[in-house]
């Protein structure tokens, strides 16, 4: 694949700036060019088609694969990135900026008609459709690498229903993805996009976070770190206790609805903020979603309550209620950090680790003989990426002495 220089105006190469912040992917690309583990294969990538994903697609192609790429959300694709990649040999776009849900679905099926060998998925959008509508192509699929919480949940549901016919790696659940991308990537980018889109200060405001998984924890920590009062809503008693011990106020959504200034959902389930909550909210609250799908805020119920809507700022829909209150919804309930007009997604340095994990998981799927199931990414691969990332950012890592290693291996420990 043709190498593109980092120099020159950004418009000539929309990935140039991002490549500078992705040393793991650059190093992996060099390794893959030598080994070509994907030679002769067709890989499919579904993700948010912005610059970090572009560098990831280049990295997979460096391993010898032809890459078919598509979006995982209709509103998160960047035209410049899509066009740039589509112009490269061996890369083919099944996406366009500003697609509708129906258009994106059609592109997914067109891609799967090409019978790819390896899937790099986001939200299980390709794997689910592969099993549901393209059964004839299953025999050629080596496996799936899935990068999101919601996508892993869908794969696990497929396995529980005895439907999953190919091996899948739960990349989202490996430490080098979950501890950094979910906590710091989503947490930081969700809060910053709320601030940028609304042009409001969050310090001193009450931010209600629905869900205290890794994403919700990140949102709550980042919001509190800049001075917000944080309230966490949780259905899992263990996570609720964790939020309490971390210093957040824990409440039901029914109780939090009247107090919140900003609401951010991060649960992976539908109708977390719904009609009875909208009725209790005060004027001019901000509603944002950080979960993968646009179902966490019941937008239909909100529309049914409103007598009219307006667009006070790009990326914000204001719902005017009959009593004069105004409720402001970001990005139509889609991912606030990826679907808004100011959205840049996660910082490149975080996605460097995530897409490195996706790449090595894909390499492992090709090289290993795995059964159809949802598999944990081997710890050795996670540690491989962690060590390279630490070296890249100059973080020293202590080595154990021989005596310490022997001590850990000796159950007697005399």
């Amino acid at each position: 694949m043709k190498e593109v220089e980092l120099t020159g105006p950004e418009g000539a190469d929309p990935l140039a700036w991002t490549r500078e912040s992705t040393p793991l992917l650059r190093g992996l690309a060099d390794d893959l060019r030598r080994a070509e583990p994907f030679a002769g294969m067709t890989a499919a990538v579904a993700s948010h088609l912005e610059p970090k994903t572009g560098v990831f697609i280049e990295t997979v192609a460096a391993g010898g694969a032809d890459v078919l790429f598509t979006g995982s959300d209709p509103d998160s694709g960047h035209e410049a990135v899509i066009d740039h990649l589509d112009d490269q040999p061996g890369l083919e776009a099944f996406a366009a900026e500003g697609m509708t849900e129906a258009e994106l679905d059609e592109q997914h099926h067109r891609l799967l008609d090409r019978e790819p060998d390896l899937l790099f998925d986001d939200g299980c959008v390709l794997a689910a459709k592969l099993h549901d509508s393209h059964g004839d192509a299953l025999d050629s699929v080596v496996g799936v690498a899935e990068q999101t919480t919601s996508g892993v949940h869908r794969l696990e549901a497929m396995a529980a229903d005895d439907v999953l016919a190919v091996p899948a790696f739960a990349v989202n659940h490996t430490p080098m993805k979950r501890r950094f991308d979910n906590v710091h990537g989503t947490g930081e980018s969700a809060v910053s996009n709320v601030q940028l889109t609304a042009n409001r200060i969050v310090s001193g405001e009450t931010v209600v976070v629905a869900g205290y998984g890794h994403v919700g924890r990140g949102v709550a920590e980042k919001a509190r770190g800049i001075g917000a009062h944080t309230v966490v809503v949780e259905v899992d008693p263990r996570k609720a206790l964790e939020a309490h011990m971390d210093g957040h106020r824990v409440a039901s959504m029914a109780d939090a609805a009247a107090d919140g200034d900003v609401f951010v959902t991060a649960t992976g389930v539908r109708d977390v903020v719904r009609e009875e909550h909208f009725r209790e909210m005060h004027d001019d609250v901000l509603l944002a979603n950080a979960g993968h799908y646009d179902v966490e805020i019941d937008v239909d119920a909100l529309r049914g309550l409103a007598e009219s809507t307006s667009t006070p700022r790009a990326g914000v829909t204001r719902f005017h209620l009959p009593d004069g209150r105004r409720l402001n919804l970001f990005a139509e309930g889609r991912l606030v950090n990826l679907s808004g007009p100011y959205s840049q997604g996660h910082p490149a340095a975080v996605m460097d680790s995530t897409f490195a994990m996706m790449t090595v998981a894909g390499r492992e799927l090709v090289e290993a003989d795995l059964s159809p199931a949802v598999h944990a990414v081997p710890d050795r691969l996670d540690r491989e990426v962690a060590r390279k990332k630490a070296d890249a950012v100059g973080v020293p890592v202590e080595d154990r002495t021989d005596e310490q290693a022997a001590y850990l291996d000796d159950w007697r420990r005399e």
Side-chain angles (χ1 to χ4, degrees):
M1 179 178 175
K2 181 181 177 181
E3 284 290 297
V4 182
E5 294 295 328
L6 289 174
T7 56
E10 183 181 358
D13 179 7
L15 309 185
W17 176 268
T18 299
R19 286 196 203 92
E20 295 178 353
S21 298
T22 52
L24 291 187
L25 291 177
R26 295 203 311 272
L28 274 171
D30 290 339
D31 294 341
L32 292 172
R33 286 188 192 95
R34 289 189 288 269
E36 291 196 326
F38 308 136
M41 301 182 71
T42 299
V45 174
S47 193
H48 305 283
L49 296 176
E50 42 80 54
K52 281 87 70 179
T53 303
V55 177
F56 169 52
I57 289 169
E58 290 182 332
T59 304
V60 174
D66 289 329
V67 182
L68 316 177
F69 62 94
T70 187
S72 57
D73 182 280
D75 291 331
S76 62
H78 295 197
E79 182 178 10
V81 172
I82 295 169
D83 290 347
H84 173 78
L85 292 170
D86 198 38
D87 285 341
Q88 308 305 315
L91 307 183
E92 185 174 350
F94 291 78
E97 184 174 333
M99 288 185 295
T100 65
E101 292 268 11
E103 289 169 341
L104 180 60
D105 180 68
E106 180 183 357
Q107 291 296 326
H108 289 166
H109 288 291
R110 285 188 58 239
L111 185 155
L112 291 169
D113 283 339
R114 298 280 291 276
E115 300 188 359
D117 304 295
L118 184 62
L119 305 185
F120 294 96
D121 217 349
D122 184 315
C124 196
V125 296
L126 292 182
K129 290 170 185 172
L130 171 72
H131 286 75
D132 192 46
S133 305
H134 298 264
D136 291 345
L138 281 169
D139 289 342
S140 66
V141 176
V142 173
V144 180
E146 171 56 54
Q147 66 172 307
T148 67
T149 305
S150 58
V152 172
H153 287 167
R154 293 183 74 185
L155 288 168
E156 290 172 340
M158 291 166 68
D161 283 348
D162 201 26
V163 170
L164 187 64
V166 299
F169 271 134
V171 177
N172 176 79
H173 289 9
T174 200
M176 278 303 293
K177 197 279 183 181
R178 177 172 273 183
R179 294 178 185 174
F180 303 98
D181 177 322
N182 295 25
V183 175
H184 297 284
T186 307
E188 195 161 312
S189 60
V191 173
S192 64
N193 274 285
V194 167
Q195 292 179 291
L196 284 170
T197 303
N199 191 25
R200 288 193 189 177
I201 191 169
V202 171
S203 302
E205 300 283 270
T206 296
V207 176
V208 179
V209 181
Y212 203 68
H214 285 76
V215 170
R217 182 188 304 121
V219 173
E221 288 178 355
K222 300 298 181 179
R224 187 173 61 181
I226 57 175
H229 307 289
T230 49
V231 182
V232 169
V233 178
E234 245 303 338
V235 298
D236 186 325
R238 297 162 297 183
K239 293 179 181 178
L241 287 169
E242 186 178 8
H244 169 72
M245 296 297 284
D246 286 345
H248 306 290
R249 175 185 156 203
V250 179
S252 66
M253 187 60 75
D255 289 337
D259 297 333
D261 302 301
V262 180
F263 294 80
V264 182
T265 56
T267 68
V269 299
R270 64 176 306 118
D271 301 337
V272 178
V273 183
R274 48 193 184 270
E275 181 173 343
E276 62 262 36
H277 306 136
F278 300 137
R279 292 184 181 278
E280 299 300 320
M281 292 176 182
H282 64 68
D283 180 41
D284 212 23
V285 302
L286 308 180
L287 303 168
N289 170 49
H292 184 84
Y293 293 107
D294 60 343
V295 298
E296 303 203 18
I297 299 170
D298 190 348
V299 180
D300 288 339
L302 183 55
R303 187 171 288 110
L305 288 174
E307 61 180 8
S308 64
T309 62
S310 62
T311 306
R313 285 180 64 83
V316 178
T317 303
R318 172 168 282 171
F319 292 81
H320 299 265
L321 305 190
D323 60 8
R325 287 179 298 132
R326 302 158 300 167
L327 307 185
N328 303 296
L329 178 69
F330 288 78
E332 299 180 342
R334 298 188 185 279
L335 279 162
V336 67
N337 62 328
L338 279 157
S339 297
Y342 306 100
S343 300
Q344 298 291 315
H346 294 2
V350 170
M351 292 308 298
D352 190 31
S353 299
T354 294
F355 284 140
M357 288 307 310
M358 289 286 282
T359 302
V360 298
R363 185 187 65 196
E364 186 77 4
L365 284 167
V366 171
E367 296 175 351
D369 184 16
L370 298 173
S371 62
V374 180
H375 298 269
V377 175
D379 186 64
R380 58 182 169 79
L381 298 183
D382 195 74
R383 291 181 180 276
E384 172 191 334
V385 171
R387 173 67 72 167
K388 290 179 178 178
K389 184 67 173 182
D391 290 344
V393 299
V395 172
V397 179
E398 187 81 354
D399 291 323
R400 284 198 181 102
T401 65
D402 292 342
E403 291 79 8
Q404 289 169 336
Y407 175 79
L408 289 176
D409 290 339
D410 184 358
W411 63 270
R412 295 182 180 84
R413 295 189 178 178
E414 296 176 355

